[in-house]
Amino acid sequence: MKHDVHKFIRKHRLIEAGDTIIVAVSGGPDSIALLDFLWKERTRYSIDVRACHVHHQLRDVEADEDEAYIRQFCQKRRIPLYSKRVDVKKYAMASGDGTQVAARKLRYEWFSELLSEMPNSKLATGHHGDDQTETMLMQMIRGGLPIRAYGIPAVRKLGDGVVIRPFLGITKEMIEHYCKQHGLNARYDSSNRARTYTRNRIRQDVLPVLKRENQQVHTHMQRWQEWMKDDQQWLQQQAEESLSSIIIEKSERNVTISCAALLSVALPLQRRLIHLILNYLYGKNSPSITSIHIEQVLELMNQDNPSWDYHLSRSFIVRREYDFCHFSGAQENTLEEQEHILSVPGRIEFADWVLEAYITEDAAFTEAENEIVLDKKALAEPLLIRKRQPSDRIACRGMEGTKKVGRLFIDRKIPKQERENWPILVDGNGEVLWVPYLHRTRVAQAEDDSSCRLVVACCRQGKKKADFTSSSD
């Protein structure tokens, strides 16, 4: 194991003489082994080794015992320890993030602060080769944007410093053997066995199968991550250099390009050029730009039709006029004219409507007239709330084919002034999922065996339920 770790450190130049290495320690085998390893090799590398620990206040007594174990471990070796308690539950409720995401955000915010306070410092984490394999599989399964490298980088920037992962070249089994060999009675987090988390299911069900096929799968995944990162960086650089050759006009909210110039470059660059343009227009408020958005724009550009419009989220439109393609922000006269991403969980206001989305684990949950229940795994995200469009059609439950949304309003005798402010729920493909109180889609409908149910509920501020015509679907 030691040989493999030293080799990985040299290859990626993770450590330099004079560095202060702060090891992020949870108390588990991975981080404790890393702290012990670097502490014992501190003379070899001419480094100052320290430790830091975040108490997430999620596991009560178990977490307190982890903290006590780490403190005792560091005191015995005279390793300086920095610790902090964070309120993950409170932060998650305020931000709408899941527990795991909230914990990671708070953890890395503090890590960044530590690095800024210590010159020549680096943060070391205990991520290993099995983590790399699990992460890459998770990102592929979830449909990560293919123009980005998957996986965990060996080194990345964080605030004024960097994060390093010296154990990415070895497996969990090697780490546990090291702990046993050196008498490190590391702690074990009970949540790592909970099957509610995707990573744990991959770890328990998928990884053993891969290892039976090839014990060195972690090595191949690591090489794949490194090569893919290099390839993506090169392609991104080529796209950035090609950008000026396709742009005809550019302003803060508008970019006009030549369709012929875009389509003349290689397809991998076409995808990245569109992504660069969208990132520029969205700026810091960029939503999740998916591969679907990029593919749809390219598909439209390759059509013979010389004129079309494509509506993106957050009020942006792609419009073609013969050889010109305009990426622009739509007029923002009123709130109702915009599209809004509905996060899960999340809540937004649209005109005088309020819509909320959340996950329920209740398999017997039934829809109220102001709700729709969907199979989250069958959905194309992100979910969007917008006003109706003339071309909108919905695959109504209990009916064959589709029906025009405009016809729904007419059939239910909804006044014209009401129709313009009525929220429409659509998926990432633009498929209409729900016209509240009028009709629900049969697309992604939650079934008895649906394992992840997403509920979207709505109400209208200042309006009574009697103002609405109940749904017949």
Side-chain angles (χ1 to χ4, degrees):
M1 173 191 142
K2 289 184 180 180
H3 171 76
D4 291 336
V5 177
H6 288 311
K7 182 180 177 181
F8 192 87
I9 290 173
R10 288 195 304 270
K11 177 183 177 181
H12 295 277
R13 300 177 182 177
L14 300 184
I15 296 175
E16 298 176 2
D19 281 346
T20 295
I21 308 296
I22 309 168
V23 182
V25 189
S26 66
D30 310 338
S31 59
I32 283 294
L34 179 60
L35 179 59
D36 185 79
F37 175 85
L38 290 175
W39 178 72
K40 288 176 178 174
E41 300 292 338
R42 64 192 185 282
T43 303
R44 173 187 182 132
Y45 287 109
S46 300
I47 56 176
D48 177 16
V49 177
R50 305 182 183 189
C52 66
H53 171 69
V54 179
H55 190 308
H56 298 103
Q57 303 187 70
L58 292 174
R59 294 179 293 118
D60 300 326
V61 176
E62 189 178 356
D64 293 339
E65 291 172 349
D66 290 347
E67 185 179 48
Y69 166 77
I70 294 166
R71 196 171 299 281
Q72 184 181 26
F73 185 96
C74 291
Q75 286 176 349
K76 183 177 179 181
R77 293 160 180 78
R78 296 183 179 178
I79 300 173
L81 172 65
Y82 308 91
S83 62
K84 182 174 183 176
R85 294 196 169 211
V86 294
D87 193 336
V88 173
K89 290 182 180 178
K90 181 178 178 181
Y91 181 87
M93 288 182 65
S95 64
D97 292 325
T99 303
Q100 297 292 314
V101 173
R104 189 181 188 281
K105 284 183 178 179
L106 290 174
R107 192 163 60 242
Y108 275 85
E109 280 179 10
W110 183 57
F111 290 161
S112 181
E113 291 175 13
L114 281 178
L115 290 173
S116 67
E117 294 169 0
M118 301 182 201
N120 302 319
S121 61
K122 295 174 181 176
L123 182 87
T125 66
H127 292 97
H128 49 76
D130 291 352
D131 288 330
Q132 181 72 284
T133 303
E134 293 161 11
T135 299
M136 293 180 72
L137 290 172
M138 283 174 61
Q139 291 173 339
M140 291 176 193
I141 291 168
R142 290 173 173 173
L145 198 61
I147 64 174
R148 294 191 183 123
Y150 293 158
I152 306 169
V155 56
R156 75 169 181 88
K157 284 192 65 62
L158 178 65
D160 296 329
V162 296
V163 179
I164 60 173
R165 279 87 179 222
F167 276 4
L168 279 181
I170 61 173
T171 64
K172 179 78 170 183
E173 184 180 3
M174 294 177 181
I175 292 171
E176 290 180 337
H177 176 74
Y178 178 92
C179 289
K180 184 176 180 181
Q181 186 181 34
H182 292 267
L184 307 178
N185 299 313
R187 303 278 302 168
Y188 283 86
D189 185 345
S190 59
S191 67
N192 287 336
R193 295 188 292 272
R195 294 183 62 82
T196 53
Y197 300 118
T198 304
R199 180 180 291 277
N200 290 351
R201 294 195 296 274
I202 290 175
R203 180 178 299 155
Q204 296 168 27
D205 300 338
V206 181
L207 199 56
V209 176
L210 298 179
K211 290 200 170 193
R212 282 198 297 271
E213 296 295 326
N214 187 346
Q215 284 291 323
Q216 295 300 312
V217 65
H218 69 283
T219 303
H220 298 306
M221 283 291 198
Q222 181 60 34
R223 184 181 299 115
W224 188 13
Q225 194 278 334
E226 293 171 9
W227 285 29
M228 185 165 52
K229 180 183 176 184
D230 293 339
D231 290 350
Q232 298 291 9
Q233 286 178 343
W234 185 82
L235 284 167
Q236 187 72 7
Q237 181 181 347
Q238 297 301 307
E240 290 170 0
E241 292 174 358
S242 301
L243 190 59
S244 60
S245 67
I246 72 166
I247 289 182
I248 296 172
E249 190 175 341
K250 176 182 173 184
S251 66
E252 185 177 346
R253 289 181 54 80
N254 296 275
V255 174
T256 299
I257 67 169
S258 163
C259 294
L262 176 74
L263 297 175
S264 69
V265 302
L267 182 58
L269 296 186
Q270 293 177 26
R271 297 185 182 115
R272 285 162 177 80
L273 285 165
I274 292 173
H275 189 252
L276 283 171
I277 293 169
L278 296 180
N279 268 342
Y280 166 76
L281 289 174
Y282 284 127
K284 293 181 179 179
N285 297 318
S286 174
S288 176
I289 299 171
T290 68
S291 54
I292 294 172
H293 292 133
I294 295 172
E295 285 186 350
Q296 287 181 333
V297 172
L298 280 177
E299 183 180 349
L300 289 167
M301 282 193 179
N302 280 285
Q303 289 181 356
D304 293 332
N305 190 346
S307 178
W308 47 257
D309 287 350
Y310 174 54
H311 291 255
L312 291 163
S313 59
R314 294 184 65 89
S315 298
F316 277 89
I317 296 174
V318 184
R319 186 176 74 256
R320 180 173 180 175
E321 295 173 348
Y322 297 96
D323 186 48
F324 300 111
C325 188
H326 309 278
F327 295 76
S328 60
Q331 294 297 316
E332 297 188 76
N333 296 328
T334 66
L335 183 66
E336 297 76 34
E337 292 176 352
Q338 300 180 35
E339 288 184 341
H340 307 276
I341 292 179
L342 179 59
S343 302
V344 181
R347 177 183 186 275
I348 65 170
E349 296 184 5
F350 186 93
D352 55 355
W353 296 73
V354 176
L355 295 100
E356 292 187 87
Y358 62 94
I359 301 297
T360 179
E361 297 179 358
D362 183 4
F365 189 95
T366 56
E367 295 167 327
E369 63 178 352
N370 68 324
E371 296 171 333
I372 183 171
V373 182
L374 300 162
D375 185 341
K376 189 174 188 299
K377 293 185 178 180
L379 280 174
E381 298 190 60
L383 295 179
L384 300 171
I385 303 295
R386 60 165 171 78
K387 62 182 288 188
R388 69 187 179 100
Q389 295 173 2
S391 60
D392 280 344
R393 302 185 73 90
I394 181 171
C396 298
R397 293 184 192 173
M399 298 171 55
E400 293 182 359
T402 61
K403 186 170 184 175
K404 283 188 174 182
V405 170
R407 192 73 230 176
L408 289 178
F409 288 109
I410 295 171
D411 291 347
R412 300 297 181 84
K413 297 180 173 56
I414 304 299
K416 286 185 177 181
Q417 64 270 24
E418 297 276 9
R419 302 174 198 173
E420 294 306 312
N421 294 329
W422 208 282
I424 307 293
L425 175 68
V426 299
D427 67 11
N429 295 332
E431 183 85 33
V432 176
L433 300 176
W434 188 32
V435 184
Y437 292 97
L438 301 186
H439 245 302
R440 305 179 181 93
T441 183
R442 59 178 181 269
V443 175
Q445 182 175 352
E447 304 292 349
D448 292 342
D449 59 349
S450 297
S451 59
C452 188
R453 295 165 178 261
L454 185 152
V455 181
V456 181
C458 76
C459 67
R460 200 171 186 184
Q461 298 171 336
K463 295 283 184 179
K464 296 179 181 179
K465 190 162 62 176
D467 291 341
F468 303 105
T469 306
S470 61
S471 173
S472 62
D473 59 289

